[in-house]
Structure formats: structure tokens, C-alpha cells
Amino acid sequence: MCPDPAFHTPVLAKRTADFVVNSAEGTYVDGTLGGGGHSQLILERLGKTARLIGIDRDPEAITQSSERLRSYGPRFKAVQSTFGELTQILIEMGIPSISGVILDLGVSSHQIDDSRRGFSYLQDGPLEMRMGPDASRSARDVVNDYSEAQLTHIFKRFGEERAAGRIARAICSRREAAPFESTSDLTDVIAGIVKGPHRNKSLARTFQAVRIEVNGELEELDSGLEAAIDVLEPGGRLAVLSYHSLEDRTVKSTFREASIGCTCPPDLPVCGCGRKPILRVLTKRGIKADAAEVASNPRARSATLRVGEKLAGEGDD
């Protein structure tokens, strides 16, 4: 099988690799392997004893990236799993710490463009939205089985959708006649509630909310960030690309929390909390793609890159 160059065009690829690779002979993890674009740029910078572990929950991504990166031999290993399982994956591989981690969040271009996956409101397909077989429910399950209150909650929380309540009520009313089966079923209901210039944004937000719920993306992000910071060696770096405000706020908050030292009142003569920072934030404002990259890859428009560097703790060399 030939690798598919259109599987996913990596965003801010060079900037990300430049930040992450600080040891040519280290061990790195691409926690969202996709088509292997970011991984390939990292591997090109690494020496013969270095290695990269690519993790993805999507079997298609594993197949495509394994073919694309086959020439790197044992220096590259693909693992079908979620990046939230990073700690367990490394334990099973006998790897105590790593030099760098990349997380390119959200759904890939390949997944969006494949109508069979049901991620996009722009084309008809089954209400699926599972990023991998580990997801216990589909979009069809969410739309047909969740109560009005539950739907309103996820549309507000995961989509930040102003018409969340009205859309939820319309869904519950519509499914009394027949269950939702396709993305066009859902699109038609949303378009009937939100009209005019805000319609496409509401469609995107609602589909995003359902997708996040189906795949447990925010819970996965929380556990993945914690695991990544924990397994980094001193000087190791974590680079995260996020594509919407929920993701970016989570990353920014986690980085800020990990970079805080003593929290004792300033008038206390001696520190009583013993808290020390474990991460140094290298991108205070986050990095955005320039106009040229956005023009060639529209997905880059909403991307924000944040990078943190692990600090040495007590007992570390």
C-alpha cells in the first residue's frame, strides 16, 4: 500500500519539530500519529540510535503512517492506542523517560474528508464520528439516546453553542418520528433552528460537540497532558497543537499550573508549601501559523502551538 500524502497535512510542522527535538539520540513520542507528517520531520532530525513511538487510536492512521515511515526501520514503532495511555505504553516497552512529545489534537483532514466516518456536516454519511474502535458509542447513539438536558449540556460545554437548548429540543422532537441515521438528518435539524450567517458556525459547533463526547476528547487530553509531563526527562519538551478554545484553554491551564512554584503568602518568611515548578513554558502567547501556511493549508488558521520544557527536580542530574 502506498502512503497517502493527503492523509493529513501537518500544521506548523517545522516549528513544532524545531521545538521538540533537543537531543538527536533521544526517544520521542508522537501521540497523535495520523499520517506521520510530524513524525517524519522529527525522524529526519534524529541519529541512528534514536527512536520515535507513534500512537494513534485510528487503525487507518497506523497503516498509512507505518508504510510512510517504513524506511526508518526499528527507529520507528507505531502503537494503536490513545495517547492517554502513554504511561502504560512506555512501561510495557521498558522506557522510563522520553525526550519529547507531540500532540496534534482534534480530527485529521483524512477523517473529515471521508464521508463514511461521519465527521463533517458538509457531506452526507452515517452518524459515526468514532476516531477509533475503542470509542464505546457513536454519534448516532448520542443523538438518539441522550436526553434533552444531556444534549443541551454537551452542546454548551463542548461546542459553546448559543442555541444549544433550542437545538436539543428540536433533536428530541424530530427523533420521536424516526431515529437519526445520517449526518444530513442532524444537519437539517440544526439548519432549521439556526438560520442566516450564523448557521454554519452552529453546524460546526454542534458537530464538534458530538464528536468530543463520542471520543471523550477532553478527558483524554487531561490524562495525556499529565502523563506526558510526568514521563519527560529533564529538558524534555511537550508540544501541543490545539484547534479550538476548549482544547487551548486546557493546554494553557495545564502548562500554567505545572509552571507555578511556591504559592505561600508573600509575607511568609519561609516556604511552607514546598511546591516547585516542573515545567517552563516556552511559548507565552502561543504560536500561530503565518499567512502563507494558512493559504496553503486552511486547517492551520485555527491552530495554536504551545510548548513546555520539563525542569529538573530534586535528585535529577
Side-chain angles (χ1 to χ4, degrees), residues 78-93:
V79 179
Q80 186 182 331
S81 185
T82 61
F83 61 77
E85 297 296 321
L86 175 59
T87 301
Q88 185 60 35
I89 291 169
L90 295 180
I91 289 173
E92 292 174 359
M93 298 180 71

Side-chain angles (χ1 to χ4, degrees), residues 34-57:
H38 280 115
S39 289
Q40 185 170 8
L41 281 177
I42 293 174
L43 284 163
E44 289 173 354
R45 289 163 165 75
L46 300 183
K48 294 182 179 180
T49 63
R51 56 179 167 171
L52 184 141
I53 302 154
I55 303 170
D56 206 291
R57 65 200 301 181

Side-chain angles (χ1 to χ4, degrees), residues 1 4 12-13 30 40 47 67 89 103 120 126 132 147 169 173 219 232 270 276 315:
M1 179 184 295
D4 179 3
L12 287 165
D30 184 346
Q40 185 170 8
E67 180 63 23
I89 291 169
L103 299 177
S120 175
S147 68
R169 283 194 296 276
S173 176
E219 294 88 349
L232 281 174
V270 179
K276 297 182 182 297

Side-chain angles (χ1 to χ4, degrees), residues 3-10 35 64 68 108-111 113:
D4 179 3
F7 189 96
H8 176 70
T9 302
Q64 293 285 351
R68 177 177 187 166
S108 74
S109 301
H110 175 78
Q111 290 169 328
D113 294 340

